[in-house]
DNA sequence: AATAACTTGGTGACAAAGTCACAGATTACC
DNA sequence: GGTAATCTGTGACTTTGTCACCAAGTTATT
């Protein structure tokens, strides 16, 4: 690892500030770019723990009949708690990962990763906070799936992925369906209804004119 | 904390073996018995982190309209990762807890809990393994809710809670419904169908003659 | 022992969501 | 410009969840 590289990593992971130069020079630490659609399948053995410097990685589960649930996504400055837990708990990595946007990743051999966590309080805290966030987000996901209608879940997704400035979203019904763990037809039908009510407009691969303020927020 | 008490705790939490006598004498560490139905509501501030010595505690989420999902249960020798994460990540405890069987609990003030984790490798590993298990179990739960029919989920529950020796289970439809995060009527209907097919027999508050080997396992 | 209050389970009608099997429409690309 | 791939729409159906009851059994109360 070169000095400029280290500086770049530290900009995204300030919790690694306490590492010495010798620690950075250990065998196996590297930065790689991973192309979109690169996939790691459930059950694979991992030699390196990734820290995401840039890009977007989706972590998901495959069901027995080949469908997917998105568990969470990782982007700049994030680690994968499931990988961390599998390293620290010495269990298999029980999910799949798919690179959605070309990503830049700091690869840390699992042994070194473990050592960092044990040795450096700042990094340890960072990892724990990631766990915390993830458990809460996952329980909220369970909550959502259980208690919210798709209409509300779609609305919330739209609100979260648009802004006051940009009231449109480039996404296909299929993508949105995978996103929310439902079927494409359900998305199509619901969007169509919402269009009839004047809450938004649908076009091929795009949702426009999203009336953020009028979308149902609860129930 | 007295010596016999410490020994009892260590029997359930061997990962605490490295604690010194002085550490055990710190202010605030205590063992309490908690009666059934004692409840901690979502959002409450916690002064102590519980380690379960004995009993059964259900951790669940309340939805906006008052229904519940069971996230997980804690029994002998277990800690609550959501509490651990809220302590370590300094966030609010975002779930509710309800004591199902009268429980014996080691209460550790959050500051001391944190210190133990930072200081003692064994305990730290134990906590991380709990995280790992929990994340995986929760993602399996998402998987189940999403992809498995209730019939299969009921079957799996029955198989898990009976044995070759004891083919009956004392549980009401309502309890089973809460367990699986569904409605009582759905359980009643499904059990009735399964009874007609000779897979089991239903009685008030009991399911008997469970044909474990004939219950559907997948799909 | 009679009554009331509570628990547990059963049912029918309906709504919401997921599944299946298509059929058009649009776009991409030789 | 024609073909393939992708994206969306639709109808029929199943499963699951919701609602509003009722009936039978259990426990408490007097």
């Amino acid at each position: 690892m070169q000095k400029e590289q280290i500086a770049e990593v530290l900009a995204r992971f300030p919790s690694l500030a306490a590492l010495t130069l010798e620690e950075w020079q250990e065998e196996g630490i590297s930065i790689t770019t991973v192309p979109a659609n690169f996939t790691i399948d459930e059950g694979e053995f991992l030699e390196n723990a990734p820290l995401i410097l840039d890009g977007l990685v989706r972590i998901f589960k495959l069901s027995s009949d080949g469908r997917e649930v998105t568990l969470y996504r990782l982007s700049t400055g994030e680690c994968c708690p499931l990988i961390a837990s599998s390293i620290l708990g010495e269990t298999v990595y029980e999910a799949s990962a798919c690179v959605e946007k070309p990503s830049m990743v700091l690869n840390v051999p699992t042994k070194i990763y473990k050592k960092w966590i044990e040795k450096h309080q700042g990094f340890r805290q960072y990892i724990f906070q990631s766990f915390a966030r993830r458990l809460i987000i996952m329980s909220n996901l369970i909550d959502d799936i259980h208690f919210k209608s798709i209409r509300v879940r779609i609305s919330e997704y739209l609100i979260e992925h648009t802004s006051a400035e940009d009231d449109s979203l480039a996404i296909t019904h299929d993508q949105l369906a995978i996103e929310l763990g439902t079927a494409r037809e359900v998305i199509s039908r619901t969007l169509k209804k919402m269009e009839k009510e004047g809450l938004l407009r649908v076009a091929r691969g795009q949702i426009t004119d999203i009336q953020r303020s009028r979308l149902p927020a609860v129930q």
Side-chain angles (χ1 to χ4, degrees), chain A:
Chain A
M1 291 280 296
Q2 297 174 337
K3 278 198 176 168
E4 310 83 59
Q5 288 185 310
I6 297 176
E8 218 172 308
V9 172
L10 287 184
R12 267 84 168 211
F13 292 90
S15 59
L16 289 173
L19 264 69
T20 64
L21 257 178
E22 293 86 62
E23 283 179 301
W24 280 115
Q25 301 314 325
E26 281 206 74
E27 186 67 28
I29 304 173
S30 68
I31 293 178
T32 54
T33 49
V34 189
N37 295 318
F38 182 83
T39 303
I40 296 172
D41 292 322
E42 183 161 353
E44 263 186 48
F45 179 74
L46 296 174
E47 295 180 330
N48 295 303
L51 293 175
I52 313 296
L53 297 168
D54 198 30
L56 193 61
V57 181
R58 188 168 67 98
I59 311 296
F60 61 98
K61 292 268 301 171
L62 277 181
S63 74
S64 45
D65 58 348
R67 280 215 359 213
E68 301 178 356
V69 227
T70 298
L71 298 179
Y72 48 82
R73 281 197 168 68
L74 303 174
S75 63
T76 306
E78 294 190 302
C79 68
C80 178
L82 218 50
I83 290 181
S85 75
S86 76
I87 290 172
L88 295 159
E90 283 160 23
T91 52
V92 188
Y93 174 58
E94 286 209 42
S96 302
C98 177
V99 176
E100 291 195 321
K101 292 182 192 168
S103 299
M104 211 166 58
V105 171
L106 175 69
N107 295 292
V108 184
T110 55
K111 274 193 181 173
I112 297 177
Y113 196 77
K114 207 166 177 172
K115 203 161 64 183
W116 286 0
I117 291 173
E118 287 177 4
K119 201 168 168 191
H120 297 286
Q121 197 206 22
F123 187 58
R124 187 159 70 234
Q125 283 179 345
Y126 161 76
I127 295 288
F128 269 112
Q129 281 174 13
S130 305
F131 272 113
R133 270 196 303 267
R134 222 35 97 177
L135 273 174
I136 289 166
I137 290 172
M138 280 180 69
S139 72
N140 286 338
L141 177 60
I142 293 175
D143 213 39
D144 286 358
I145 292 174
H146 238 94
F147 298 120
K148 290 181 183 167
S149 66
I150 11 150
R151 172 176 277 248
V152 168
R153 297 186 62 211
I154 289 175
S155 297
E156 288 178 351
Y157 185 92
L158 294 180
I159 288 172
E160 200 176 329
H161 291 81
T162 56
S163 61
E165 294 79 45
D166 187 2
D167 64 351
S168 64
L169 192 62
I171 193 171
T172 66
H173 297 184
D174 203 51
Q175 285 174 285
L176 189 49
I178 288 175
E179 204 66 19
L180 301 179
T182 179
R184 205 248 325 145
E185 299 91 314
V186 176
I187 298 290
S188 294
R189 276 198 284 257
T190 309
L191 284 179
K192 187 124 274 220
K193 273 186 219 159
M194 293 173 83
E195 185 178 41
K196 274 182 190 157
E197 295 171 24
L199 297 173
L200 46 77
R201 286 172 56 188
V202 289
R204 190 185 176 86
Q206 270 212 327
I207 306 173
T208 57
D209 271 346
I210 299 168
Q211 315 280 312
R212 302 174 87 244
S213 60
R214 293 179 54 213
L215 296 179
V218 270
Q219 193 61 251

